[in-house]
Amino acid sequence: MSASHRRSPSADAAACRTETPPEAAQERRHVLTFACPDRRGIVHAVTGALLEQDADIAESQQYGSPDTGMFFLRVEFRSPASAERLEAVLAPLRERFAARASLWPASARTRTLIMCSKDGHTLNDLLFARRAGALPIDVPAIVSNHRDLEPLAAFHEIPFVHVPVAPGDPASKRAAEDRLRQLLLEHEVDLVVLARYMQILSDELCTDLAGRAINIHHSFLPSFKGARPYHQAHERGVKLIGATAHYVTSDLDEGPIIAQQVQPVTHAQTAADFVERGREVEGSTLVRAVRWHAEHRVLLDGRRTVVFA
Ligand SMILES: Nc1nc2c(c(=O)[nH]1)N[C@@H](CN(C=O)c1ccc(C(=O)N[C@@H](CCC(=O)O)C(=O)O)cc1)CN2
């Protein structure tokens, strides 16, 4: 389930929302995500409760996982009911089905902090997609352990925060993560995106960011985890290279996979050729994963994801 460090925005919005005039009420679009142990009657109960709030359902997808016994539901709908009223309707359903359920204003944008190092192609693709209106995210800051990509941030008029990490210096890495935590709080960040950020995050930070940090790994996982995956792949003589966007966990490049793409390669290409060909799919894979997360289409099912694309 797409996770946020704060209760669902609808609850926050409801807490401070004044009564919306009737003419604007029909414009209340919401996304409901619901995950619970599978049993009969879930969809009936949830859609019945929405019907009682005069909801018009625009999109509804569901999946029952045979492996985990979990049921997943994503409903996009319009309703004249306030977010506060909808949250009140959800509460008994959470209890009845022991469900993880969140309600999101469909128009809300995900506050996303992007982290990078020296390679800027995936950062560039993310910022281009945002500027083109293809990615519903706001980017309050870009954080990097190098200054190479500061001009790119400046072009997009996004604050660039240089947070250096001295190689092999644990104190430096701890200081960097302390600074990162400050930024996460200061900007009320919902999502962290590692856009070829080449530092391993600590176990503690991974725990705090569970379900809301996405990394792009430049291989078709689970093959070639860790550093220099294209060189590992070239050594192995692969005929496909790829990119994988996944949630970040303390197990390096083992987090739940969100999106993947592959590219054909041949024996005649060098590792450097693989690096160049790989760039063509890394950015689009990361953009797709971030968009799906921002649209609350990705729900966690243990070590795997359910993606209602
Ligand atoms: N806890 C996690 N941190 C990170 C993950 C992750 O899945 N869990 N993904 C990586 C990205 N990555 C490959 O995609 C990767 C980045 C860096 C390294 C690495 O060995 N880094 C060295 C330093 C290298 C340098 O200074 O240039 C290190 O951190 O000691 C391996 C894989 C991002 N972080």
Side-chain angles (χ1 to χ4, degrees):
M1 172 180 300
S2 61
S4 164
H5 61 302
R6 300 176 292 161
R7 55 185 174 147
S8 60
S10 293
D12 290 339
C16 57
R17 187 193 301 277
T18 54
E19 197 45 53
T20 305
E23 65 278 2
Q26 296 311 315
E27 283 318 299
R28 283 201 186 103
R29 289 170 51 242
H30 303 266
V31 173
L32 169 64
T33 57
F34 200 92
C36 64
D38 202 353
R39 55 183 273 196
R40 289 184 183 170
I42 301 166
V43 175
H44 179 268
V46 173
T47 55
L50 294 179
L51 181 60
E52 287 175 4
Q53 301 306 317
D54 296 326
D56 291 304
I57 293 176
E59 186 181 320
S60 179
Q61 295 163 282
Q62 55 277 325
Y63 170 69
S65 173
D67 300 309
T68 61
M70 287 294 289
F71 185 82
F72 302 88
L73 176 64
R74 178 186 185 278
V75 184
E76 204 163 320
F77 66 94
R78 279 190 172 81
S79 166
S82 67
E84 199 168 35
R85 174 69 195 136
L86 292 168
E87 286 284 353
V89 166
L90 259 181
L93 292 171
R94 279 195 186 95
E95 187 170 349
R96 176 180 169 190
F97 293 103
R100 302 192 312 264
S102 294
L103 190 68
W104 314 85
S107 57
R109 295 168 67 84
T110 300
R111 297 183 59 77
T112 303
L113 186 137
I114 303 176
M115 300 183 74
C116 55
S117 289
K118 292 186 174 183
D119 279 333
H121 55 288
T122 58
L123 173 63
N124 189 56
D125 286 353
L126 283 168
L127 297 180
F128 178 83
R130 180 189 72 103
R131 180 182 284 258
L135 209 45
I137 63 172
D138 288 330
V139 183
I142 292 169
V143 173
S144 182
N145 55 326
H146 297 282
R147 286 196 176 279
D148 302 57
L149 299 176
E150 190 161 15
L152 181 56
F155 173 78
H156 287 274
E157 300 175 331
I158 295 173
F160 180 90
V161 183
H162 179 220
V163 183
V165 178
D169 177 354
S172 168
K173 190 163 270 200
R174 277 195 301 276
E177 292 200 350
D178 289 346
R179 179 69 179 114
L180 175 65
R181 288 175 188 278
Q182 285 174 346
L183 292 165
L184 297 178
L185 288 173
E186 177 187 341
H187 293 293
E188 289 193 296
V189 169
D190 298 312
L191 174 67
V192 174
V193 175
L194 307 185
R196 293 299 299 275
Y197 180 69
M198 300 313 286
Q199 290 296 318
I200 296 175
L201 305 188
S202 67
D203 293 359
E204 296 76 19
L205 188 54
C206 288
T207 301
D208 294 347
L209 294 175
R212 59 190 191 95
I214 295 174
N215 177 60
I216 182 68
H217 183 69
H218 35 311
S219 84
F220 188 61
L221 288 174
S223 299
F224 313 126
K225 293 190 278 272
R228 293 165 63 83
Y230 289 130
H231 292 74
Q232 296 179 53
H234 187 264
E235 180 61 31
R236 183 67 186 76
V238 301
K239 305 308 176 189
L240 283 175
I241 56 171
T244 303
H246 63 91
Y247 285 114
V248 174
T249 64
S250 51
D251 297 324
L252 189 62
D253 302 326
E254 293 264 6
I257 291 172
I258 305 168
Q260 293 186 293
Q261 278 188 78
V262 292
Q263 279 271 47
V265 290
T266 73
H267 61 280
Q269 288 171 303
T270 66
D273 294 330
F274 283 15
V275 171
E276 276 313 305
R277 290 276 285 157
R279 288 169 188 267
E280 296 166 21
V281 292
E282 289 173 38
S284 55
T285 303
L286 182 56
V287 168
R288 184 178 303 141
V290 172
R291 179 170 59 78
W292 282 343
H293 180 95
E295 292 176 351
H296 314 294
R297 295 181 179 277
V298 187
L299 290 83
L300 286 170
D301 184 20
R303 288 192 62 201
R304 291 179 290 197
T305 63
V306 172
V307 180
F308 290 129

